[in-house]
Amino acid sequence: NAGVTQTPKFQVLKTGQSMTLQCAQDMNHEYMSWYRQDPGMGLRLIHYSVGAGITDQGEVPNGYNVSRSTTEDFPLRLLSAAPSQTSVYFCASFPGRLAGGPDEQFFGPGTRLTVL
Amino acid sequence: GQQLNQSPQSMFIQEGEDVSMNCTSSSIFNTWLWYKQDPGEGPVLLIALYKAGELTSNGRLTAQFGITRKDSFLNISASIPSDVGIYFCAGLTSGTYKYIFGTGTRLKVLA
């Protein structure tokens, strides 16, 4: 298993540009999440999904969209990039005990985004 | 937004010393996770805890799920240089699908 994969690893955008951060997992996990990590702030939840076709907002959703058309993929879209969105973005997944698995959440390697 | 209180924020220790850190919350959690993050990498899961009072070990690491279900503790015995990194706790409330993370403990080991 590749686990949780993210692309790209690095990205530089200009203010106002849009882009999609890709996330995929091959563990058949129901739950997937996007976090951003800023210095001294820990990990903050942006959006999450409890299954294909179901998404919900986390703590800091403004400026981001998500969709979950398949169990494996959970892309994060930046609609109009702003310097405040400069951060490291992590995707994570876990099976969930309701789905018959533990609540152990695994992370991807991250995407480092800079918005100029 | 809600975050867990994690302490200490950072610590310098001598190689070979034992390390203790903790995480506290005003909310009750049903699952606690402890992660380690190396520079430039994603967090890696160290230990998962599912029952109040549970004590679980993973090599030199031992974590405990607090009896009140509002706290958790991580101990590292006989620290070595590769223990350097940021340690995060995370809690999950029953019936939700959102993990809440601590702000991290930055560990620096002096050889």
Side-chain angles (χ1 to χ4, degrees):
Chain A
N1 285 352
V4 181
T5 58
Q6 292 183 238
T7 56
K9 196 164 177 66
F10 300 94
Q11 183 70 49
V12 178
L13 293 177
K14 293 182 180 177
T15 297
Q17 286 185 314
S18 62
M19 81 157 293
T20 300
L21 308 185
Q22 302 292 343
C23 173
Q25 52 92 9
D26 61 359
M27 298 173 282
N28 202 31
H29 287 175
E30 287 294 320
Y31 306 133
M32 296 185 74
S33 306
W34 275 101
Y35 295 86
R36 60 178 287 173
Q37 185 176 30
D38 301 300
M41 294 289 292
L43 290 146
R44 293 185 292 169
L45 184 64
I46 304 171
H47 284 286
Y48 65 101
S49 168
V50 302
I54 307 170
T55 64
D56 205 346
Q57 295 181 350
E59 181 187 355
V60 287
N62 293 340
Y64 308 95
N65 272 359
V66 291
S67 60
R68 184 97 179 269
S69 57
T70 67
T71 299
E72 294 78 20
D73 299 301
F74 190 42
L76 177 73
R77 279 181 286 278
L78 279 70
L79 309 172
S80 177
S84 61
Q85 293 179 304
T86 293
S87 188
V88 183
Y89 292 85
F90 289 102
C91 179
S93 73
F94 68 99
R97 280 190 275 183
L98 288 178
D103 291 328
E104 295 174 5
Q105 179 168 241
F106 297 95
F107 281 82
T111 294
R112 283 139 190 87
L113 176 69
T114 301
V115 183
L116 303 174
Chain B
Q2 182 184 4
Q3 282 199 314
L4 301 175
N5 294 317
Q6 195 169 343
S7 65
Q9 283 190 325
S10 64
M11 54 194 314
F12 282 93
I13 59 170
Q14 292 283 345
E15 184 177 353
E17 284 184 348
D18 296 344
V19 175
S20 291
M21 59 189 78
N22 67 78
C23 216
T24 59
S25 169
S26 57
S27 305
I28 290 174
F29 291 115
N30 284 3
T31 299
W32 284 95
L33 304 181
W34 282 93
Y35 290 89
K36 177 176 182 271
Q37 185 178 28
D38 292 325
E41 304 290 332
V44 173
L45 183 65
L46 299 173
I47 293 179
L49 302 161
Y50 297 106
K51 285 185 187 177
E54 178 183 356
L55 192 69
T56 297
S57 293
N58 179 6
R60 293 179 297 105
L61 277 61
T62 301
Q64 184 162 25
F65 193 138
I67 289 292
T68 66
R69 295 166 65 195
K70 292 184 177 181
D71 53 12
S72 181
F73 309 89
L74 177 70
N75 294 315
I76 304 172
S77 62
S79 57
I80 59 178
S82 62
D83 289 335
V84 164
I86 304 176
Y87 292 80
F88 289 103
C89 60
L92 183 69
T93 305
S94 175
T96 73
Y97 313 105
K98 298 185 288 185
Y99 271 101
I100 306 299
F101 276 80
T103 49
T105 292
R106 187 180 296 273
L107 185 64
K108 301 177 186 180
V109 179
L110 303 172

